[in-house]
């Protein structure tokens, strides 16, 4: 009943990274004044650094701080909790709102071949990430777990994306409504690729299962169900539905919905508070290959982000807002849909790997460090 | 009042697998089943909770009262499922109040 | 375990009606431009058709479209669902908001004998509808089910009413706060009439029950409980309470409540999304006399609406807004309070008739086709 | 520790009828009962769910542990109710830990 | 199974007090006009009476009236209820909002030694009240119950405080953000004092327990758990966390949160509706020493309030807003955290005393009668 | 399929005491337990509800299936707790489907 050792280390590492990161930016911030005279002539660079300022202001945004508060609540063993029904509603609200808003923007700016290119790249990205992640993970894990974790990284986290949007809005940087469609497209491919990878590579392994008595009678879920769950799961359906309704109803629709959209940041604040609580609890269940997992879960998102930044800059020529959102999508990992889908399709996989990684490490890393970091990188290029 | 001797099978199973279990119960043809929501618990696989976002650490509780013959089929199915999925299965004897509706 | 046949037909019919209806309006819409020159001289008529335009815009309002999305979610077997606690809260919010707003309006416009007349007519309408509905239904059903279904049609659906108000608000047509009181008055009479009809007519039937062994020991719920449930049920109490509080607190109260009222359309959107999900699921349980039921559930509301339009035009001289609301009240059917009350008071009645009809057919029909149709008719007269 | 032999009666009943059942249990004088919320299920009358708006398709689950004599009265009542209302009733034997409070 | 007698009396007394109080104010209100000419020369006094006017307007504020509606719902045996998940969320929202707002104010007005004095007094007040309450209660109750009830009165009710803030906002009277910190400080001391009082005085009693067979094996909860629960319970943590986040994020944070804060009064309305339902139900469970309890539960808050008014006027020199909030904190009793903590730490205590008192009597009394009464007194001095 | 004879202990206990009961179950080393949420009920101490603000009038329901030896320890603990706290405890016999995971 001893408190899991490695989770302590994980918590500690997270805090350390965050603190270092904060110090790093504080240092920049502090130097702005002292060096501003020096680099005054170099106005362009200065403006960039000023924007970094913005980034710091955003780490200190209420939603992110309440995420911290949620983690603290678990660490001090408080009984603070958000009722499950509300937490589900908040996520529905965020999806509906973001979908509706994206649709409204698309209604205004129209559809172009350029957008098709972006959406195609989104889809590709979501298909390639699980592939290379799988082969890295195979070195440490059996096929089942490697496939499941790879799929988790291939898919996306809508709330990380939405936190990115809140970041952009505070910084008054615009983004395209089609990025919401891009997110919808990136949710499901990883599930299918994960299952295929497992099917292909497990036959190369000995068929002996963990329990050694797999009588072969056991029926796996059929592809029909997998595909149906992947493409019609509640989140995808609500997001796409709201997007389409936003396109159809245009200005009139958005005007009526506007006051409800106004409470967006408040709802996000509550949702992140809740996510902080759950993330901190889930960090506790990290066991086994935790050392490798923690390192992997911080390096892979950064690696994916680097590729995404490169692609958005050199292939897609995206604006800063779109580039950040695309990068966040690539760097985030699914903690709701994919782990559940993997559990059903690959029951040999262990959720004690996927969830602590995606919700306990990748999510906090992206929300706290990732978003401003990726923005900084995009901005510098 | 008429009573009949039946088996009560209580099943705890990971939330993701609930649909499959229900599907199988219906295939076997049990006369009914009841799903109890808002479950949490702990077993060999650690704490399961209904309050975490990821359905994979969520628990469900379902029980069915059926004939001994049906029970055997249900148990055979569960014996296999429980090799892969988190859960437990308890069997006991109950009497069923046999109203018109519940006559087999 | 085969997918219920008739529900498919019901779904299909619903879609067909809706599609035809949409085509019909699109055709009008399309002809406005081509014929506008022709009928330019006939400004009055043109203005009317322009308003119809408004009606179409409203079928495409977000709440109604999200209702569709909810139905689609069930058809594609998605796991989209609104937590029950939220769905209950949404309905409490809508009742409180609409009651409060009605009270505020009454506070401003005062009470007149005219209003008493309107409220009396509401009460009468709610008492007469179940009577004639019962005798029509008796041709196909036994006394118990005929009484239960008749009572369902005699009562009202608050959310249909509220959708009507949202329709009026988008169209910027005013209505009186007393219509909310009218709604409260129309909720309960049908329950009492349904029970009386059953008590009177069942004695004429053979006393043998379904099971043939009614030992007569069985105690029906007493009238006290029936009346208490009918007049003090949560919805009625909250609505009337909010109305009175609105009257008492007037401007100061409403001003404080205003920002909460602003999210009204957003809440309605979520509620209709949820209703779409439940309606589509309930359509599945249509069995038995489904053919007759489906026809009946579309014709009776239209018939009730016709009477209501006649009454509001020739007897009550209501404005367009009030007339529409009165018509909606007459045309809608209860899917919460009355089926539950009937189940308890007339246990021989089968809820597999009342709910699929009121929630699966009448509600979607009114929300999608009915409201603009009734408005069109009121407008033409 | 003292134990006493009792009957456990598990009742599944339509939500609208729950109040009546509870009223009857109290009339009969059972020492206590427990209502379990958030129930769904399937039986002869099709799927019942706690998540639909109309209370009529909603299910409730209540159990009471009582003496054999009380159990007979409860079952007689239920035998009748279950002719009209959707539900089921299961009876089993349990031991009750007899603390001061639960002494009859 | 007979309806508890005394609860009827309690309800009746409550209604009576309230009615008398209303009459009293209505009488003042009525006399304002007739006497206004007379006292026109005495402008200062008139202004005071005008403000009383405000007080009456606030008894008639929607949240308080909806509290009544909730009580009425129980009295007429309606099935009106707020889902538990929502009721929990409302309280989280109110705490977060009030904490955040307090932090934002502190961010602006800064921290002074004066504030430290006020906070210290808050802490002291919360430590002294349970002491004298205990010795009064000991005359009627055994040590366990006396300690539990005393602790209940020593702590505070956040929602009463928040209702006070709503009152001040309608009356456009300002208050300091530090009062929120004061509230956080007043939540927990009473728990510790209650447990200490019990430990000290029970040893003086015979060790024989209720059941006479306390084998002494029974382990009481350890101080570690008691302290952890007291200082890190969800409400305190969220309140303090939001306060700190409000201080950190300042204007930018508050601006983003503002639209969510706008629905504050609406949420309070729903929460009080719910509290009305629960309070009325809990009044029913008053038994045993009910007569003494009812009297005590109305006199003690008034006594505490009197001390608080004296302290805030003569020692702290608080403005009217701060003085009212301090008085409300002193006069209110905890109905969530403390009764639960007492139950665990002093299992011999009976919750059938603490809850009916704090939620059934003190809360309604403060919300309906207390707040305007205390304001009136503060104003007169 | 293998089955083992076990004891099922059903515990109803005041919400504030749930954590202590769970702590004790884990100390005794039962193989698992399940907590059922959303409970209300009535017993010697009056109505308990999950819907009132004050946790003290809230009820919780937890059951564990364990060996007879473990059951004795659990019952000894509960015998004491139930002198001070509201609740009840019912014991019955069940068979456990013995999958790999649930082998003791
Ligand atoms: N012995 C037991 N008694 C009661 N519930 C159990 C028991 N073992 C397992 N469970 C339940 O089954 C779930 C899954 O068990 P496991 O797969 O062993 O982790 C647990 O979370 C408990 O809810
Ligand atoms: N054999 C059974 N086992 C478990 N639960 C049952 C059984 N039969 C009926 N039920 C429950 O009782 C409810 C009503 O049953 P019925 O009236 O047969 O539709 C169902 O929805 C189930 O929750
Ligand atoms: N005989 C019983 N049958 C079922 N549940 C009971 C029984 N006695 C007590 N309970 C449950 O235990 C809780 C506390 O009981 P008590 O301490 O006797 O008030 C009650 O609220 C019921 O939920
Ligand atoms: Na990704
Ligand atoms: Na009607
Ligand atoms: Na106090």
């Amino acid at each position: 009943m001893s408190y899991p050792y490695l989770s302590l280390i994980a918590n500690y590492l997270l805090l350390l990274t965050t603190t270092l990161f904060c110090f790093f930016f504080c240092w920049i911030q502090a130097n702005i004044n002292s060096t501003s005279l020096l680099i005054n002539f170099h106005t362009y660079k200065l403006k960039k650094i000023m924007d970094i300022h913005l980034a710091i202001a955003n780490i200190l945004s209420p939603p992110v701080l309440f995420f911290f508060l949620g983690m603290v609540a678990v660490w001090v063993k408080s009984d603070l909790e958000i009722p499950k029904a509300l937490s589900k509603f908040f996520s529905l609200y965020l999806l509906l709102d973001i979908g509706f808003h994206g649709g409204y923007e698309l209604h205004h700016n129209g559809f172009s071949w350029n957008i098709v290119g972006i959406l195609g790249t989104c889809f590709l990205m979501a298909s390639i990430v699980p592939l290379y992640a799988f082969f890295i993970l195979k070195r440490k894990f059996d096929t089942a777990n490697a496939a499941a974790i790879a799929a988790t990284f291939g898919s996306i986290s809508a709330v990380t994306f939405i936190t990115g949007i809140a970041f952009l809005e505070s910084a008054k940087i615009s983004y395209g409504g089609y990025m919401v469609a891009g997110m919808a497209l990136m949710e499901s491919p990883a599930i299918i690729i994960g299952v295929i990878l497992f099917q292909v590579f497990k036959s190369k392994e000995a068929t002996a299962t963990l329990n050694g008595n797999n009588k072969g009678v056991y029926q796996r879920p059929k592809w029909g169900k997998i595909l149906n769950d992947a493409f019609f799961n509640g989140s995808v359906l609500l997001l796409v539905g709201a997007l389409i309704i936003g396109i159809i109803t245009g200005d009139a629709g958005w005007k009526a919905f506007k006051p409800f959209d106004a409470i967006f940041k408040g709802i996000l604040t509550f949702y992140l508070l809740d996510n902080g609580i759950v993330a901190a609890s889930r960090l506790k269940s990290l066991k086994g290959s935790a050392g490798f997992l923690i390192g992997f879960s911080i390096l892979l998102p950064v690696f994916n982000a680097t590729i995404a930044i490169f692609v958005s800059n050199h292939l897609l020529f995206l604006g800063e807002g779109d580039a950040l959102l695309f990068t966040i999508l690539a760097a985030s990992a699914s903690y709701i849909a994919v782990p559940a889908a993997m559990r059903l399709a690959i029951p040999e996989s262990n959720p004690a790997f996927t969830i602590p990684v995606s919700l306990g490490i990748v999510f906090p890393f992206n929300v706290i460090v990732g978003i401003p970091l990726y923005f900084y990188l995009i901005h510098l290029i | 009042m008429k009573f009949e001797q039946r088996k009560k099978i209580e099943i705890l199973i990971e939330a993701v697998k609930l649909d499959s279990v229900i599907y199988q119960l219906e295939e076997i043809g049990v006369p009914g089943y009841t799903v109890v929501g808002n479950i949490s618990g702990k077993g060999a696989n650690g704490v399961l909770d209904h309050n975490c976002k990821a359905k994979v650490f969520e628990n469900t509780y379902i029980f069915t009262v059926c004939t001994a013959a049906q029970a055997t089929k249900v148990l055979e199915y569960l014996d296999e499922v429980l090799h892969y999925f988190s859960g437990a299965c308890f069997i006991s004897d109950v009497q069923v109040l046999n109203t018109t509706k519940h006559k087999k």
Side-chain angles (χ1 to χ4, degrees), chain A, chain B:
Chain A
M1 212 93 336
S2 75
Y3 186 85
Y5 213 6
L6 282 154
S7 91
L8 257 178
I9 303 180
N11 277 339
Y12 182 72
L13 274 178
L14 204 70
L15 269 181
L16 198 76
T17 329
T18 319
T19 320
L20 283 178
F21 185 74
C22 289
F23 275 131
F24 169 61
F25 271 143
C26 287
W27 173 81
I28 295 184
Q29 198 176 13
N31 285 10
I32 289 176
N33 293 323
S34 53
T35 56
S36 59
L37 285 174
L38 255 169
I39 52 169
N40 208 0
F41 60 95
H42 197 335
T43 331
Y44 174 73
K45 207 71 178 241
L46 181 65
K47 211 195 135 285
K48 291 219 160 174
I49 294 178
M50 284 312 213
D51 288 348
I52 296 307
H53 213 98
L54 254 170
I56 310 154
N58 274 288
I59 315 177
L60 299 180
S61 77
V64 176
L65 288 172
F66 275 99
F67 179 80
F68 265 119
L69 185 61
M71 296 189 109
V72 169
V74 175
W75 294 335
V76 301
K77 295 179 207 286
S78 170
D79 64 346
L80 182 65
E81 64 169 355
I82 311 284
K84 189 195 183 184
L86 266 303
S87 140
K88 272 203 87 176
F89 167 66
F90 295 153
S91 84
L92 294 179
Y93 169 89
L94 292 173
L95 290 167
L96 191 154
D97 186 70
I98 222 70
F100 203 7
H101 190 250
Y104 164 70
E105 298 248 313
L106 277 177
H107 174 92
H108 268 269
N109 303 325
F111 213 78
S112 70
W113 282 108
N114 196 19
I115 293 179
V116 177
I118 295 170
L119 297 187
T121 317
C122 284
F123 192 86
L124 266 181
M125 191 77 191
S127 314
I128 294 167
V129 171
L131 279 177
Y132 61 71
F134 175 74
F135 290 105
I136 303 175
L137 286 157
K138 271 286 282 177
R139 297 166 158 268
K140 277 277 181 182
F141 293 99
D142 58 351
T143 310
N145 283 308
I149 306 175
T152 302
F153 276 101
S155 182
I156 54 91
S157 144
V159 175
T160 315
F161 179 81
I162 290 168
T163 310
I165 286 183
F167 177 94
L168 290 176
E169 282 180 1
S170 317
K172 301 208 168 35
I173 297 168
S174 69
Y175 64 93
Y178 45 81
M179 288 314 294
V180 176
M183 170 167 87
L185 277 173
M186 289 178 80
E187 175 115 28
S188 314
I191 294 174
I192 293 140
I193 295 189
V195 177
I196 293 177
L197 281 171
F198 173 68
Q199 298 285 6
V200 170
F201 284 84
K202 71 145 187 197
S203 43
K204 300 188 182 166
E205 283 185 356
T207 11
T209 61
L210 282 152
N211 308 299
N213 62 351
N214 183 0
K215 285 166 279 180
V217 196
Y218 180 71
Q219 289 188 1
R220 293 181 181 291
K222 281 137 205 131
W223 273 102
K225 176 150 176 60
I226 295 175
L227 292 174
N228 199 87
D229 283 2
F231 290 107
F232 293 133
N233 87 54
S235 312
V236 173
L237 194 81
L238 185 58
L239 192 73
V240 174
L243 192 87
I244 294 173
I245 293 175
I247 295 176
I248 296 177
T249 60
D251 291 288
W254 183 248
K255 211 187 126 221
F257 195 75
K258 197 94 219 248
F260 201 47
D261 168 70
I263 62 173
F264 172 76
K265 288 247 175 83
I267 301 283
L268 183 61
T269 298
F270 263 103
Y271 192 83
L272 284 192
L273 174 63
D274 185 37
N275 254 15
I277 296 172
V278 183
S281 336
R282 278 306 148 203
L283 257 186
K284 286 191 195 159
S285 52
L286 256 190
K287 30 186 157 169
S289 323
F292 175 73
L293 265 185
I294 295 170
F296 183 83
S297 322
I298 289 181
L299 291 181
L300 189 59
V302 174
F303 180 66
N304 292 344
T306 314
I307 298 186
I309 292 171
F310 183 86
V311 168
S312 54
N313 200 46
H314 293 287
L315 294 179
L316 300 173
F317 310 104
L318 297 177
E320 271 185 13
D322 291 357
L324 180 63
L325 293 182
F326 180 62
T327 306
I328 289 173
L329 288 175
S332 67
S334 165
Y335 59 86
I336 300 182
V338 178
M342 287 300 115
R343 195 67 201 102
L344 208 52
I346 314 179
E348 292 90 343
S349 73
N350 190 344
F353 292 127
T354 45
I355 294 293
V357 161
S358 57
L359 189 52
I361 305 178
V362 179
F363 183 81
F365 176 80
N366 275 330
V367 163
I368 301 167
V369 183
I371 295 178
L373 178 69
Y374 308 149
F375 179 71
Y376 181 74
L377 296 174
I378 290 168
H379 205 69
L380 278 190
I381 298 177
Chain B
M1 292 189 288
K2 283 190 293 179
F3 299 94
E4 308 218 14
Q5 194 67 32
R6 291 282 184 271
K7 292 285 175 194
K8 179 181 179 193
I9 306 182
E10 293 172 273
I11 307 165
L12 294 138
I13 191 78
E14 273 184 60
V16 290
K17 198 64 185 175
L18 179 65
D19 284 351
S20 315
V21 171
I22 287 178
Y23 177 82
Q24 200 61 31
L25 290 181
E26 293 185 348
E27 285 291 289
I28 290 168
V30 298
Y33 54 82
T34 298
V35 180
V36 179
N38 253 26
I39 293 299
S40 53
K42 187 166 179 177
N45 296 297
V47 178
L48 297 186
D49 200 353
H50 59 279
N51 225 4
C52 75
K53 324 240 146 173
K55 223 181 165 184
V56 290
F57 282 112
E58 211 179 301
N59 218 355
T60 52
Y61 177 28
I62 175 168
F63 65 84
T64 179
V65 170
C66 58
T67 63
Q70 290 163 338
T72 309
K73 286 189 208 156
V74 172
L75 292 169
E76 266 164 13
Y77 167 74
L78 286 173
D79 192 30
E80 227 187 307
V81 167
L82 289 177
H83 277 301
Y84 295 95
F85 290 92
S86 186
C89 176
F90 312 126
I91 308 104
S92 55
D93 291 309
V94 296
Q95 307 258 84
V96 170
L97 178 62
N98 194 347
T99 55
T100 326
K101 273 182 331 212
H102 296 93
K103 208 175 290 176
K104 263 255 50 188

